Amino acid sequence: MINSFINSHFSPKRHNLKIGKYFLFGNKKKINSTRKISISQLSNNLDFTKNLNQDTDVKDKFLSWLSFNNVFIFNKSTWGRAPHQCFVSNETTDEGEPCGRGLLAFKKIQQGEKLIEIPENLILSVKEDQVKNEENDFLNEYDSLGIFLIQQMAMGEKSKWKIYFKVLPREEDLNLGFRWNLHDIVFLRGSKTLSASIYLKQKIKIQFLRLEKNVFSKNRLKYPISIFNLEQWEWALSILLSRAIFLQNLKKVSLVPYADFMNHNPFSTSYIDSKKISFSQNHEIVMYADKDYNKFDQIFTTYGQKNKS
């Protein structure tokens, strides 16, 4: 991941755990003590409750979708299976800094335990024949996957990953430095982030203009401007640069639903990668614990070095 460079009236300190039919969600909020409130404050609280309920509903559907697609995430024992060791928390921290949604340990975990198993057919990746043809064989992995991501997103309810897309950051949530306008970006003056943001913004724009000239403009029926434009390309690249994983054994860049809930930590040595299933030609995406975890510890991974493409 490259996040590292681009980056109420309940009892105090109460941890509120939302339990679905079979799944456990962590929902930890900073709680204020009871005080007099204004109408505007009440309105904000009602909006917060509405958004929280909607967010929880989306995640319930997402985890049900995972289960339907043979991802084991039950927090109760089943025949021959121990409870899944992790649960999704809406808010996590790393050394006191908020880092958004992540995975926490549901119980004590020992070093070497398998933490995730994702079927290969659930990952979002691109086969060479899905996008490439004789006219655009210069596309690199991020070009191809970015185009495929936009195509699938535009399919809406017809896409295999429609539920997954609903838990991805929305357009308004992607407040990355390279997407700021010039009026706002001047506030980064004097920092290394400014030059990095300007460089990335220009690189993504040049990348889009290259694709616009060589791919999109040549087939408007397949690549309409309303869908394949700079704004959508920036969104797609924001998702890929912050969530895509290079699966070493499969030699491809992919989006891996559920596994990408885990936050990156430079000190982690747990890699997400593919493994061939015994007595089968299929693969699964797995990760093993690189150390012991106590209950409620955040589980980290490393995405390693980005592919140079």
Side-chain angles (χ1 to χ4, degrees):
M1 297 169 74
I2 65 162
N3 321 38
S4 55
F5 100 78
I6 8 189
N7 290 358
S8 243
H9 307 295
F10 305 95
S11 303
K13 297 184 179 178
R14 178 180 173 185
H15 284 182
N16 190 21
L17 293 179
K18 173 68 177 178
I19 303 176
K21 186 175 181 182
Y22 295 108
F23 313 112
L24 179 66
F25 291 101
N27 179 23
K28 301 183 293 181
K29 291 287 177 184
K30 186 176 180 181
I31 309 299
N32 297 321
S33 57
T34 304
R35 296 180 182 273
K36 270 188 183 178
I37 59 172
S38 65
I39 295 298
S40 61
Q41 287 175 313
L42 178 60
S43 176
N44 289 338
N45 288 337
L46 291 174
D47 288 341
F48 166 77
T49 302
K50 180 180 178 182
N51 292 336
L52 181 61
N53 290 337
Q54 290 174 342
D55 191 44
T56 300
D57 182 58
V58 167
K59 287 182 291 185
D60 277 335
K61 290 179 179 178
F62 173 64
L63 292 185
S64 295
W65 175 76
L66 288 174
S67 180
F68 179 78
N69 285 281
N70 301 315
V71 180
F72 185 79
I73 49 175
F74 292 98
N75 58 27
K76 293 183 179 180
S77 298
T78 60
W79 184 258
R81 295 292 298 262
H84 183 51
Q85 304 98 316
C86 314
F87 70 94
V88 180
S89 177
N90 288 337
E91 295 183 5
T92 60
T93 59
D94 184 16
E95 296 184 350
E97 293 293 324
C99 46
R101 186 182 291 154
L103 292 189
L104 302 185
F106 180 65
K107 63 181 186 68
K108 274 196 168 186
I109 295 172
Q110 293 185 335
Q111 182 178 7
E113 280 192 58
K114 185 189 288 187
L115 298 179
I116 60 168
E117 297 174 80
I118 313 290
E120 183 185 3
N121 62 7
L122 202 59
I123 68 174
L124 202 154
S125 60
V126 178
K127 296 178 182 177
E128 290 186 4
D129 59 352
Q130 280 183 291
V131 176
K132 291 187 177 184
N133 56 42
E134 66 279 2
E135 295 181 353
N136 57 20
D137 58 359
F138 62 86
L139 295 179
N140 62 46
E141 288 178 289
Y142 281 87
D143 291 337
S144 300
L145 189 52
I147 292 172
F148 186 58
L149 178 58
I150 294 173
Q151 286 174 328
Q152 289 295 317
M153 190 70 172
M155 287 174 64
E157 294 298 308
K158 295 180 180 179
S159 173
K160 172 182 177 178
W161 294 277
K162 62 181 180 180
I163 302 296
Y164 172 57
F165 291 149
K166 291 179 181 179
V167 300
L168 290 178
R170 294 162 294 190
E171 184 70 28
E172 59 269 24
D173 297 328
L174 291 171
N175 192 27
L176 301 179
F178 77 89
R179 304 196 77 200
W180 294 7
N181 58 45
L182 292 177
H183 180 268
D184 293 327
I185 207 169
V186 296
F187 291 104
L188 298 176
R189 190 165 41 203
S191 72
K192 293 181 179 179
T193 306
L194 175 61
S195 56
S197 297
I198 293 175
Y199 168 78
L200 191 57
K201 188 178 185 70
Q202 285 299 112
K203 184 176 180 180
I204 290 176
K205 184 176 181 179
I206 291 171
Q207 184 182 23
F208 171 76
L209 292 176
R210 174 172 57 84
L211 293 172
E212 169 66 21
K213 177 182 178 182
N214 295 289
V215 181
F216 303 151
S217 64
K218 292 183 177 181
N219 191 343
R220 284 302 178 199
L221 187 62
K222 186 175 181 180
Y223 304 110
I225 295 177
S226 59
I227 296 174
F228 291 88
N229 51 58
L230 180 58
E231 185 177 349
Q232 285 298 308
W233 187 251
E234 285 184 347
W235 171 82
L237 266 291
S238 297
I239 296 297
L240 296 183
L241 292 174
S242 61
R243 306 178 81 88
I245 301 165
F246 181 69
L247 300 173
Q248 183 67 39
N249 291 334
L250 290 177
K251 304 297 182 187
K252 62 171 137 183
V253 176
S254 307
L255 289 172
V256 185
Y258 189 64
D260 60 9
F261 276 173
M262 280 184 283
N263 289 309
H264 168 80
N265 186 294
F267 301 106
S268 173
T269 56
S270 288
Y271 284 85
I272 299 169
D273 207 348
S274 64
K275 178 183 177 183
K276 190 173 180 180
I277 300 173
S278 300
F279 310 108
S280 171
Q281 295 300 313
N282 299 322
H283 289 75
E284 63 181 359
I285 313 305
V286 298
M287 192 190 88
Y288 298 87
D290 63 338
K291 63 177 185 177
D292 294 342
Y293 286 95
N294 291 319
K295 190 174 183 178
F296 299 130
D297 282 350
Q298 182 173 185
I299 297 172
F300 291 104
T301 186
T302 177
Y303 289 114
Q305 295 295 319
K306 283 290 181 185
N307 187 290
K308 292 182 180 180
S309 63

